[in-house]
Amino acid sequence: MKNINPSEISSILRKKLENFNLEENTKEILNIGNVIEVRDGIVRVYGLNDVFYGEILQFNNNIYGIVLNIEEDSIISALFENINNVKEGDKVKKTNKFLTINVGKSMLGRIVNTLGKPIDGKGKLEGDLFEIPLEREAPGVIYRQPVYEPFYTGIKFIDSMIPIGKGQRELIIGDRQTGKTTIAIDTIINQKQFYNTNNPVYCIYVSIGQKNSSLANVIKILEENDALKYTIIVSSNSSETPLMQVFAPFTGTSIGEYFRDIGKHVLIIYDDLSKHAVSYREISLLLKRPPGREAYPGDVFFLHSRLLERSAKIIENDNIFSKMNGFPKSIKKYIKSGGSLTALPIIETKEGDISSYIPTNVISITDGQIFLEKDLFNSGVRPAINDSISVSRVGGAAQIYSMKKVSGTLKLNQAQYKELEAFSSFGSDLDEKTEKMIKKGKLNVELLKQDANNPYKISYQIAVIYLCSQDIIIPLNKIKKFEKEYLKFLKKEKNELLKKIDNGFWNEEIINDLNKVIKKVLKSV
Ligand code: ATP
Ligand code: MG
C-alpha cells in the first residue's frame, strides 16, 4: 500500500470516469429497484424513482404488479398472480405504463382473465388486437344521448313493468339464491334473436369472486343455449388474488367500450359487486390504509361510480364523435357513433337489507333496481321480483307503443291487489268487486311467472301481458296451461299478427284478433 501514489489513483479514476455518461447510467439504475418486503402479495420496493400511482411494475419471471401506495422512501405494489414467486432481494423494473389489455373482435366466445389473456384452452386471440387502458374517463354529457331504444331482457315482468333502455344501468339486487344470476343469463340468452341482424348485442359476463363451479354452470347454460358465440366471459374467481378480482370489472368495461365505440350495442354484467367490494376491502386492509374517506369503505363509492359511469348510449354524430377524447389512437379509425353499453350490476344483500353501505351506494349510482325477494322465491313466484320497490327510472321512454299500451296500469293493479290481499287475510267479508280484483291479481301473478332460461320475444310478452289486462274466466290452476296453448296457437296461426305487435303496432284490429284467439283457446283448456 505504501508505494501507491495518491496522484496516480486520482489519474486512474479520472481515466475510468472519462467515458461515464451520468444520464445514461443513472437512468438504468433509477428504473430498477429492489424488493425489501413481501407479504400476502403486497410488496414493498426500494430504489425506484419517478414512479406514478397505478404504474405497472415488472418482477422476475414476468410477474407483474401495480403501484398502489407511494411513500417517502419506498413504494408499495400489489401482485396480480404468482404471489409466492417473488422474494426479498428480487429486482423490480419500471414499465412507465398504466394497466392495459389487448381487445379485439376475436374475444367473442372466449373466456379471458383480468389481464385479457384467454384461459379457456382454445389458444391465442386471433385477428386485429388493440391495446387499450383499463381505466378510461367516462364519456362526457355532450357525447351521450338519452335512453330511447329498448333493451330487451326477455323477461315478461321486467320488459313490461321495469323496462330497460340501451345505455341504462339497472341493478339486480337480492339475497343469495334468489335468481339474480338467472335474470342476467336469461338476458344474455335473449340477445340471440339479434345475433344475425344489423344490430347485434354483444354480451360480457364478468365473474367476480365466485366459485369455479358457479362459473362453470353459467358457461354450461350459455353453451347449451348457443349464446356463448356472442358473449365474452371475464373470469376472476375466488381462488385468484384480490387484485385480479378488483380489476376484473374494469377489464370487462374496457372490452365493452371497445365494442361500444366501434358502433355496437353491448350488455355487461357484473356478478357481483358485493364480492368486488370485499376484494377491494382486502386490498385496503393489506395496504394498511386507515378506514375513511380515502380508503375502504369511503372510496368504494368512487370505485363503483367510475366503473358504472362508463355505461352510456353514444350520440349519432360522426363529426363530434371523432373529437371525443380518451380514445386510444390505435382504434380511432374504426370508431363509429351510436353504440351503447348497458350495465346490469348485481348486488347480494343480507336478509333483504338494502340500506347497508354497498347496496345504497350502487342503488344511488344506477338508474333503477330489480329487487328479488327470498320469500317470493321460496313460495314459487319466479322470477321473485318485488314490484313495489323495483323501478326503472329512465327505461319507460324506450318502451315500444304496443307494450306501453298493454302494460300501462299493470303495476298499479298489482300493487292494489297486494294491498287488498293483505287486508283480506284478516278474514273479513269482501264485496264482489274486491273479490274480483284479488282473483285477477292472483291470475296475473301466475301469468308473470317465467321459467329459468326461457326468455320471450317481445311480441309473445305483449300477447301475455294483454291477458293481464283482460277479464279471463279460468281457474287458477289452469292459467299456465292456457298461456302455453295460447302462445302455441299464436306462433302456429298468427305470425303476421305477432310481427305487427313486434313492430310496435297496437289497434282495434289487433285487439279483436287477439280476443278471438283467447276465446278459441279458452274452450280447449
Ligand atoms: P347466488 O346468490 O348463489 O349467486 P343467485 O341469486 O344468483 O344465487 P341463481 O343462481 O340465479 O340465484 O338461482 C338460484 C336457483 O334458482 C338456480 O338453481 C336457478 O336455476 C333457480 N331459478 C332461478 N330463477 C328461476 C326461475 N325463474 N324459475 C325456476 N328456477 C329458477
Ligand atoms: Mg349468482
Side-chain angles (χ1 to χ4, degrees):
M1 283 300 210
K2 261 189 234 148
N3 48 11
I4 291 180
N5 180 346
S7 67
E8 208 174 307
I9 293 179
S10 76
S11 90
I12 291 172
L13 281 177
R14 196 163 289 139
K15 210 165 182 187
K16 279 264 179 204
L17 291 173
E18 213 160 53
N19 293 323
F20 185 78
N21 181 335
L22 185 73
E23 227 163 57
E24 261 316 296
N25 285 283
T26 45
K27 204 164 154 198
E28 184 60 21
I29 292 165
L30 293 179
N31 273 337
I32 293 186
N34 287 302
V35 174
I36 53 174
E37 189 189 343
V38 198
R39 187 175 35 86
D40 303 323
I42 304 293
V43 184
R44 186 181 288 274
V45 179
Y46 181 81
L48 284 179
N49 271 28
D50 285 337
V51 172
F52 51 86
Y53 184 83
E55 181 174 349
I56 298 299
L57 298 180
Q58 186 180 4
F59 296 79
N60 289 346
N61 310 322
N62 275 339
I63 297 171
Y64 289 90
I66 187 167
V67 176
L68 291 181
N69 266 8
I70 299 177
E71 298 180 355
E72 210 165 323
D73 54 2
S74 62
I75 55 125
I76 296 183
S77 160
L79 299 173
F80 286 101
E81 298 172 295
N82 301 321
I83 57 174
N84 296 327
N85 295 351
V86 169
K87 306 181 299 298
E88 267 175 42
D90 279 0
K91 292 264 180 288
V92 188
K93 222 163 134 188
K94 253 170 79 73
T95 63
N96 285 315
K97 271 166 85 170
F98 283 110
L99 189 53
T100 59
I101 51 163
N102 289 327
V103 299
K105 285 192 180 146
S106 58
M107 280 184 142
L108 291 169
R110 302 296 302 269
I111 304 163
V112 299
N113 69 6
T114 300
L115 304 175
K117 303 251 157 58
I119 50 166
D120 50 6
K122 293 186 195 162
K124 279 199 326 211
L125 297 172
E126 306 285 340
D128 287 342
L129 293 176
F130 305 94
E131 187 178 8
I132 58 170
L134 231 58
E135 295 245 24
R136 245 171 84 194
E137 210 174 299
V141 280
I142 55 166
Y143 304 111
R144 292 170 183 247
Q145 55 178 332
V147 167
Y148 74 91
E149 252 183 285
F151 184 93
Y152 295 128
T153 62
I155 297 164
K156 286 177 278 188
F157 202 114
I158 299 175
D159 290 347
S160 65
M161 289 191 276
I162 322 165
I164 301 172
K166 285 186 175 146
Q168 188 175 337
R169 300 152 303 174
E170 183 79 13
L171 170 65
I172 303 172
I173 185 167
D175 279 3
R176 53 176 298 277
Q177 289 287 306
T178 49
K180 303 182 296 298
T181 304
T182 303
I183 287 186
I185 295 305
D186 288 1
T187 306
I188 294 183
I189 296 172
N190 191 45
Q191 308 312 315
K192 191 164 67 192
Q193 57 183 310
F194 307 113
Y195 181 61
N196 275 326
T197 66
N198 290 334
N199 261 335
V201 179
Y202 297 132
C203 304
I204 298 166
Y205 178 84
V206 186
S207 162
I208 310 154
Q210 297 194 54
K211 287 188 300 240
N212 284 332
S213 57
S214 313
L215 180 63
N217 195 35
V218 166
I219 295 169
K220 188 170 140 250
I221 295 172
L222 290 177
E223 256 168 358
E224 279 168 3
N225 288 281
D226 196 22
L228 202 57
K229 60 187 177 193
Y230 53 85
T231 305
I232 299 161
I233 295 186
V234 179
S235 154
S236 67
N237 288 335
S238 51
S239 55
E240 292 183 55
T241 58
L243 194 65
M244 289 291 260
Q245 297 177 39
V246 165
F247 280 104
F250 291 91
T251 301
T253 309
S254 283
I255 300 170
E257 278 181 331
Y258 160 72
F259 284 103
R260 179 196 76 192
D261 293 343
I262 59 170
K264 304 287 182 202
H265 297 298
V266 189
L267 164 73
I268 185 160
I269 288 153
Y270 306 105
D271 196 358
D272 61 48
L273 289 187
S274 308
K275 295 195 185 77
H276 184 235
V278 169
S279 320
Y280 188 74
R281 175 165 186 262
E282 203 174 327
I283 295 264
S284 295
L285 289 174
L286 287 170
L287 291 173
K288 298 195 177 138
R289 287 182 180 165
R293 192 202 281 261
E294 303 302 324
Y296 187 92
D299 61 348
V300 120
F301 181 83
F302 178 49
L303 182 78
H304 285 162
S305 62
R306 71 177 196 263
L307 181 71
L308 291 165
E309 272 303 305
R310 290 160 72 179
S311 296
K313 173 119 177 60
I314 301 296
I315 50 169
E316 282 163 40
N317 178 333
D318 288 299
N319 282 336
I320 302 178
F321 197 68
S322 63
K323 288 188 210 140
M324 183 168 150
N325 57 18
F327 279 119
K329 283 201 182 70
S330 56
I331 57 169
K332 222 158 187 163
K333 67 177 175 193
Y334 299 94
I335 296 295
K336 272 170 74 182
S337 64
S340 69
L341 180 62
T342 308
L344 294 179
I346 296 177
I347 286 280
E348 182 184 305
T349 50
K350 300 255 182 296
E351 300 297 323
D353 180 15
I354 54 168
S355 62
S356 57
Y357 190 74
I358 306 293
T360 44
N361 272 350
V362 186
I363 286 174
S364 72
I365 298 165
T366 48
D367 309 304
Q369 70 273 352
I370 297 165
F371 182 71
L372 299 170
E373 216 172 64
K374 190 148 216 148
D375 290 346
L376 283 175
F377 189 86
N378 291 340
S379 68
V381 179
R382 298 178 188 181
I385 304 171
N386 174 325
D387 44 9
S388 53
I389 54 172
S390 298
V391 290
S392 167
R393 295 188 198 102
V394 291
Q399 241 177 356
I400 58 172
Y401 181 72
S402 42
M403 182 53 116
K404 217 177 231 159
K405 272 298 200 204
V406 291
S407 66
T409 55
L410 183 59
K411 206 170 178 197
L412 193 66
N413 290 349
Q414 287 311 92
Q416 273 176 350
Y417 147 70
K418 285 254 166 77
E419 260 178 42
L420 289 174
E421 201 205 15
F423 182 68
S424 72
S425 64
F426 294 120
S428 51
D429 272 347
L430 299 173
D431 61 82
E432 205 177 310
K433 198 173 155 217
T434 313
E435 218 162 298
K436 205 172 144 196
M437 276 180 86
I438 291 178
K439 229 176 192 169
K440 180 71 195 142
K442 279 190 177 142
L443 279 181
N444 287 354
V445 168
E446 289 301 314
L447 282 170
L448 288 167
K449 284 184 186 172
Q450 194 168 341
D451 285 342
N453 315 132
N454 181 28
Y456 282 24
K457 272 174 73 171
I458 197 70
S459 49
Y460 288 36
Q461 294 191 36
I462 292 169
V464 175
I465 301 297
Y466 176 66
L467 297 176
C468 295
S469 66
Q470 296 303 299
D471 284 329
I472 299 166
I473 316 286
I474 188 169
L476 199 58
N477 59 5
K478 281 202 171 158
I479 187 80
K480 276 318 234 190
K481 180 160 183 246
F482 168 73
E483 183 197 359
K484 211 168 149 194
E485 294 299 323
Y486 169 68
L487 288 177
K488 215 157 113 189
F489 187 92
L490 285 173
K491 193 176 174 184
K492 210 166 137 210
E493 312 274 339
K494 295 283 178 189
N495 248 315
E496 279 306 305
L497 178 68
L498 287 174
K499 218 174 257 166
K500 271 190 223 159
I501 300 176
D502 245 340
N503 289 326
F505 292 107
W506 192 253
N507 51 37
E508 280 304 312
E509 195 192 328
I510 294 176
I511 294 175
N512 285 338
D513 244 1
L514 280 178
N515 286 343
K516 273 183 214 152
V517 176
I518 294 172
K519 246 190 201 151
K520 202 166 190 171
V521 181
L522 267 179
K523 275 186 201 141
S524 73
V525 290

